[in-house]
Amino acid sequence: MTNLFKISSAFNKDKELTQKAHRLLWICLAVSLVTAAIQFFGPLAARQYLDQISTANILTACAIILGSFLSVGLLQLLFLLYKYKSGVHIKASMLGTLITRILTMRYDALIAKEPTYLLDRSGECVNNLFDYYTETLPDLFRTLITLAACYAAAFLIHWPLAVIFTLVLLVQVFGYRGLNQKLGTMSVKLSKIASRKFTILSSLLGNVDFLKQLPDRSAVAKFVYDKDREEKQVEADINIYAGKVSIIFDNLLSILSNGVYVYIPIALMLGWLDLGDSVYLALVSGLFMPAAKRMVGVQLNMKALYAANDFLSQDLAPNLEEENKGMSLAGPVTDISMDINNFSIDKKLLVQNGKAHIESGNIVKVAGQTGCGKSTLMKALVGFRPVDKVTLDGQALDTLSKASIRSHILYIPQQAPIFSGTVADNITLGLTPPMSVDQLAKRLKGTVFEKYVSDAYGLSTAIVENGANLSGGDRQKISLAKVEVFDWDVLILDEATSAMDAETEDRMLGYICQKAKERRAIVFIISHSSTIDAFCSKEILIQDRHLECLPLDPCPERQPLEEM
């Protein structure tokens, strides 16, 4: 229990994640206290009417007992409705906080852990924490109060019954301690395997076009079977282990429970108890024994905390970057300088040496063979990767805060990030404050994106999973529309037009480059195509681990763009 209390304390200190659940927790604890009080004092109030036997007294005592149990049931029903209605907001807030933390992870750690795996574990963590605050902790509180009150009543009225209660408590404390610890470890393992399986199968089913064409899918079924069997085996091991231990201790508790119910009438017949005390102790025993068994469930439920704690403390906490640590850029980025020596990622040397100087208004082509480090270098500008001797407006990149850097740079990758939602959602997600569809339509009006995005698809059109109802070029057009709604001084296009036809690419790049020149911004275009040379004033070439910056002469006749 000591480890569990340490974990619980850590959760309570994490106010950003759990603060909204604390209010609900206090309400849960209050309901638990009132419930326990009604269950205990109801029979106590009825007891006085049994000191003198009469029909009226018996009916009154029964009415009090029945009323107390009905009151408890009504209170629990009302609270159940409140809990789950409040839970909608609380769980959504928790998940939002965890997703934000995932996006705050170091880039390499985020890629290595895999976003789908982290998302699945986040959902599980939210459910575990919500159940902990609304069920496990209140149940533990109510159970401890009930056990203590019943034990005190038994000890004061008839101490031999308290001895039997003591044996029950000893079985609970010592019998389930080892079980709980082992189940916690096994639960962490199961959580990781289940999330890994979900990640793999999600990726697998993302290849719909390839899988659907297979005439024989038995190999796919075998692959799924192998991944699922591993999870189910661990799940079975947990159930078998917990079942074996539970059977032993449940039987011990049943023996002690039956012993209590046999002992009370014997004590009454022998004159050790009067009728009022025997009825009251029978009711107290009826509360004590279920509470003792409920303690088993509480301890078993707390095993989920191990999995939640493992995710927060092992997967997330060590990999978070301090995005606000460092200096802030004073104004728009107008100058980027590189004097690179030994730029490496994962012990792979990408650029041994090279210099480049980029000024506002420059359109820069970034070229080189596949795998030479073009994208990695550009990601370093956004703070995704570490790089030395790169400055923005004379300030070393590694001295600037990640938040400040990213507020000035917009990076659009080749694999256009499309999610299930509307076209407008995919363009505006991340804007603060949010932009409505009407506002977006006005922003895109008169731009190249009005023809190629607004008119072509409709901003309210739904996009299915992974953008499966769009072509690769369509996805890139929608992704590129972000340049109209986000503020940027530096734009990085990482082969962001590679899936478009030549005419569309020409119009898109022509419009974006003209826009950049008008606002004196900087644009980097990663591409293997020589056609983009016409838009660029400089070229960063990475070849044989050497970086050099070369001048280019853009074709003036392609800029500004002709009529959209």
Side-chain angles (χ1 to χ4, degrees):
M1 291 293 285
T2 303
N3 289 334
L4 287 172
F5 284 124
K6 287 182 179 179
I7 294 173
S8 176
S9 176
F11 288 147
N12 292 332
K13 291 177 181 177
D14 191 344
K15 293 184 178 180
E16 182 188 19
L17 180 62
T18 62
Q19 188 172 25
K20 288 183 173 62
H22 286 171
R23 178 185 175 187
L24 185 56
L25 171 63
W26 286 113
I27 295 174
C28 289
L29 294 178
V31 171
S32 297
L33 179 61
V34 172
T35 299
I38 293 173
Q39 288 178 326
F40 183 76
F41 289 108
L44 185 62
R47 177 191 171 200
Q48 61 182 325
Y49 291 96
L50 297 175
D51 290 336
Q52 295 181 350
I53 302 300
S54 70
T55 302
N57 284 351
I58 292 175
L59 290 175
T60 302
C62 290
I64 292 174
I65 294 171
L66 180 61
S68 65
F69 283 102
L70 288 175
S71 299
V72 168
L74 179 61
L75 183 62
Q76 290 174 334
L77 177 61
L78 293 174
F79 175 68
L80 183 73
L81 297 174
Y82 174 77
K83 180 179 77 171
Y84 284 110
K85 286 186 177 181
S86 301
V88 173
H89 171 66
I90 292 171
K91 293 171 80 170
S93 297
M94 282 184 172
L95 184 60
T97 299
L98 289 180
I99 296 302
T100 301
R101 288 189 188 179
I102 288 174
L103 296 175
T104 310
M105 292 174 65
R106 289 180 292 102
Y107 181 78
D108 289 332
L110 177 56
I111 298 303
K113 292 287 184 181
E114 298 181 296
T116 304
Y117 167 84
L118 294 169
L119 174 61
D120 188 59
R121 292 210 68 189
S122 294
E124 180 189 49
C125 180
V126 167
N127 289 331
N128 289 342
L129 287 178
F130 183 76
D131 290 344
Y132 170 69
Y133 279 107
T134 61
E135 293 182 17
T136 305
L137 267 185
D139 276 354
L140 177 63
F141 181 67
R142 178 163 60 97
T143 299
L144 291 176
I145 290 175
T146 302
L147 292 175
C150 292
Y151 187 84
F155 184 80
L156 292 173
I157 295 173
H158 190 66
W159 67 264
L161 186 61
V163 173
I164 300 177
F165 284 179
T166 301
L167 294 175
V168 173
L169 293 177
L170 290 175
V171 169
Q172 292 297 315
V173 172
F174 295 104
Y176 283 93
R177 178 183 295 175
L179 171 65
N180 199 40
Q181 291 176 347
K182 184 164 183 177
L183 285 182
T185 303
M186 297 173 76
S187 294
V188 170
K189 181 180 179 181
L190 176 62
S191 175
K192 290 183 175 181
I193 291 175
S195 294
R196 182 67 60 207
K197 182 197 78 172
F198 177 77
T199 300
I200 293 172
L201 296 187
S202 296
S203 301
L204 174 71
L205 292 178
N207 296 301
V208 173
D209 295 344
F210 171 72
L211 296 176
K212 193 165 179 60
Q213 70 175 334
L214 296 176
D216 182 1
R217 301 188 183 97
S218 58
V220 177
K222 176 65 166 57
F223 180 82
V224 173
Y225 169 82
D226 290 339
K227 298 303 176 184
D228 193 51
R229 186 181 183 281
E230 183 182 10
E231 178 193 357
K232 295 301 186 288
Q233 184 61 58
V234 176
E235 189 176 335
D237 291 341
I238 290 176
N239 291 333
I240 290 170
Y241 180 75
K244 288 190 299 185
V245 177
S246 294
I247 287 172
I248 294 172
F249 288 104
D250 282 350
N251 282 316
L252 284 175
L253 288 176
S254 294
I255 292 171
L256 293 171
S257 298
N258 291 328
V260 169
Y261 298 133
V262 170
Y263 176 80
I264 290 175
I266 291 176
L268 175 63
M269 289 187 295
L270 294 176
W272 298 346
L273 291 171
D274 59 31
L275 180 60
D277 286 342
S278 64
V279 172
Y280 178 66
L281 289 177
L283 292 172
V284 165
S285 299
L287 294 175
F288 184 89
M289 292 304 174
K293 287 191 175 183
R294 192 165 59 244
M295 193 69 178
V296 176
V298 168
Q299 293 187 66
L300 293 178
N301 289 338
M302 291 185 82
K303 71 182 185 296
L305 282 185
Y306 285 100
N309 179 66
D310 175 80
F311 173 66
L312 293 173
S313 63
Q314 301 300 319
D315 286 335
L316 290 188
N319 296 308
L320 297 179
E321 61 182 8
E322 298 179 81
E323 292 186 319
N324 295 310
K325 182 180 180 181
M327 297 183 292
S328 296
L329 288 162
V333 177
T334 59
D335 180 279
I336 300 175
S337 294
M338 304 179 187
D339 185 5
I340 297 174
N341 290 298
N342 298 323
F343 175 48
S344 303
I345 296 295
D346 295 331
K347 299 182 180 179
K348 179 184 178 182
L349 180 62
L350 298 175
V351 179
Q352 190 167 14
N353 56 73
K355 295 184 179 181
H357 182 227
I358 311 300
E359 299 173 323
S360 59
N362 286 165
I363 311 297
V364 185
K365 176 183 179 180
V366 183
Q369 294 181 340
T370 300
C372 69
K374 302 184 297 297
S375 296
T376 305
L377 178 61
M378 291 297 102
K379 288 176 181 178
L381 284 181
V382 196
F384 291 171
R385 308 279 197 178
V387 62
D388 294 329
K389 296 186 177 180
V390 173
T391 64
L392 302 182
D393 290 342
Q395 293 181 269
L397 195 67
D398 55 8
T399 65
L400 295 168
S401 74
K402 301 290 193 302
S404 177
I405 294 170
R406 292 164 190 167
S407 67
H408 290 265
I409 300 177
L410 178 62
Y411 172 78
I412 299 180
Q414 178 182 10
Q415 300 298 328
I418 296 294
F419 59 90
S420 299
T422 65
V423 171
D425 291 337
N426 276 272
I427 296 172
T428 62
L429 179 68
L431 282 176
T432 305
M435 180 179 288
S436 69
V437 174
D438 289 340
Q439 289 173 322
L440 177 60
K442 290 179 182 178
R443 181 68 67 88
L444 298 184
K445 189 173 180 60
T447 74
V448 69
F449 301 106
E450 181 180 19
K451 173 183 177 181
Y452 286 107
V453 177
S454 300
D455 294 344
Y457 315 112
L459 297 178
S460 297
T461 300
I463 298 176
V464 301
E465 184 178 4
N466 297 323
N469 56 338
L470 300 171
S471 69
D474 293 337
R475 290 195 288 269
Q476 288 187 335
K477 292 173 199 172
I478 293 170
S479 184
L480 274 175
K482 292 180 173 68
V483 303
E484 281 296 330
V485 299
F486 284 88
D487 293 326
W488 48 272
D489 311 322
V490 180
L491 176 64
I492 301 173
L493 303 179
D494 191 348
E495 300 195 55
T497 59
S498 60
M500 298 181 191
D501 61 77
E503 180 184 354
T504 304
E505 180 183 43
D506 186 77
R507 289 184 176 277
M508 287 280 186
L509 289 180
Y511 174 80
I512 291 171
C513 291
Q514 182 64 28
K515 182 181 179 70
K517 286 192 172 186
E518 290 173 356
R519 60 195 291 181
R520 301 295 295 166
I522 296 172
V523 179
F524 292 95
I525 306 175
I526 301 176
S527 177
H528 292 281
S529 172
S530 61
T531 60
I532 70 163
D533 293 3
F535 300 107
C536 300
S537 55
K538 289 186 178 182
E539 177 183 21
I540 291 178
L541 178 64
I542 302 176
Q543 191 171 18
D544 298 325
R545 298 192 180 93
H546 175 71
L547 180 150
E548 58 180 329
C549 187
L550 307 170
L552 287 176
D553 293 323
C555 298
E557 67 272 13
R558 294 179 68 175
Q559 302 171 2
L561 197 65
E562 12 175 294
E563 180 209 348
M564 303 293 172

